[in-house]
């Protein structure tokens, strides 16, 4: 397993639309193992393959306190969203240090393949629902800061560019 480099906003590769996984094979399983290692190493609760520059519909999640409930969603599709929404502060491993409120459906029902390539359906609410919607946005090339006002987004872009300049100095 390996910790993979995470793309940082405003890297244009974060706006790539991911393709469905044609078959859950050893390559996909290895990607998932590396994504979990990367996500846990960065103390994240979710990671989309897009963020490690692999443009396939693969998500890893663990919203548990003990970090012992790994959830993998391959080719996820939201088949139902609750009409009621909730605003939660979100953060993202691709936008380090930035947290802001985003409105999301309070509950969702998702279908996806597991690591054995078997389809399953999941009902989620609370933090898990937020995380699933946030990660699925990544697969569509969307980063959560795109929900914020243009003013806030520009401020974040400036801050990120400055941090990256300092990091590579
Ligand atoms: Ni994110």
């Amino acid at each position: 397993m390996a910790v993979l480099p995470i793309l940082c906003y405003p890297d244009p590769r974060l706006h790539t639309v991911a393709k469905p996984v044609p078959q859950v094979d050893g390559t996909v399983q290895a990607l998932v193992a590396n994504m979990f290692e990367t996500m846990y190493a960065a103390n994240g609760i979710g990671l989309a393959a897009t963020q490690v520059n692999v443009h396939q519909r693969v998500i890893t999640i663990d919203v548990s306190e003990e970090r012992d409930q790994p959830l993998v969603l391959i080719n996820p599709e939201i088949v139902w969203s609750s009409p009621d929404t909730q605003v939660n502060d979100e953060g993202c491993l691709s936008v380090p240090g930035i947290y802001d409120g985003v409105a999301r459906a309070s509950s969702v029902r998702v279908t996806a393949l597991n690591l054995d390539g078997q389809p399953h359906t999941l009902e989620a609410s609370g933090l898990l629902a937020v995380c699933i919607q946030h990660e699925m946005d990544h697969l569509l090339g969307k980063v959560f800061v795109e929900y914020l006002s243009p003013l806030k987004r520009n401020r974040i872009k400036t801050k990120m560019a400055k941090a990256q300049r300092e990091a590579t100095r």
Side-chain angles (χ1 to χ4, degrees):
M1 293 210 293
V3 172
L4 307 169
I6 298 174
L7 300 179
C8 263
Y9 184 81
D11 191 310
R13 291 172 290 182
L14 285 170
H15 303 305
T16 311
V17 177
K19 292 194 166 67
V21 170
Q23 195 188 345
V24 182
D25 57 13
T27 309
V28 174
Q29 289 163 349
L31 168 67
V32 168
N34 289 337
M35 283 174 63
F36 273 118
E37 188 164 351
T38 305
M39 183 185 87
Y40 286 127
N43 265 317
I45 60 170
L47 187 70
T50 309
Q51 293 175 275
V52 293
N53 201 28
V54 176
H55 302 288
Q56 296 189 9
R57 293 184 62 81
V58 178
I59 288 170
T60 56
I61 289 177
D62 189 342
V63 295
S64 70
E65 287 286 336
E66 288 77 25
R67 322 286 288 144
D68 59 358
Q69 287 172 48
L71 172 67
V72 55
L73 300 175
I74 299 170
N75 295 347
E77 298 295 342
I78 291 179
V79 291
W80 175 81
S81 303
S82 65
D84 56 311
T85 58
Q86 253 187 327
V87 177
N88 293 281
D89 262 2
E90 294 185 21
C92 180
L93 294 177
S94 293
V95 199
I98 304 292
Y99 301 88
D100 215 320
V102 178
R104 305 271 190 192
S106 304
S107 329
V108 290
R109 189 181 304 135
V110 186
T111 61
L113 302 179
N114 66 15
L115 212 45
D116 299 320
Q118 299 301 312
H120 61 114
T121 303
L122 180 78
E123 298 250 4
S125 57
L127 181 58
L128 181 58
V130 173
C131 190
I132 288 172
Q133 291 171 84
H134 174 117
E135 301 312 329
M136 287 189 65
D137 272 353
H138 276 301
L139 300 180
L140 297 173
K142 187 161 184 174
V143 181
F144 85 101
V145 298
E146 288 166 61
Y147 289 105
L148 308 178
S149 70
L151 180 71
K152 274 189 181 173
R153 200 161 55 242
N154 280 329
R155 212 177 282 157
I156 291 166
K157 272 185 190 168
T158 307
K159 195 174 166 185
M160 290 294 122
K162 186 164 174 261
Q164 277 158 40
R165 270 199 312 276
E166 280 166 4
T168 54
R169 194 174 279 164

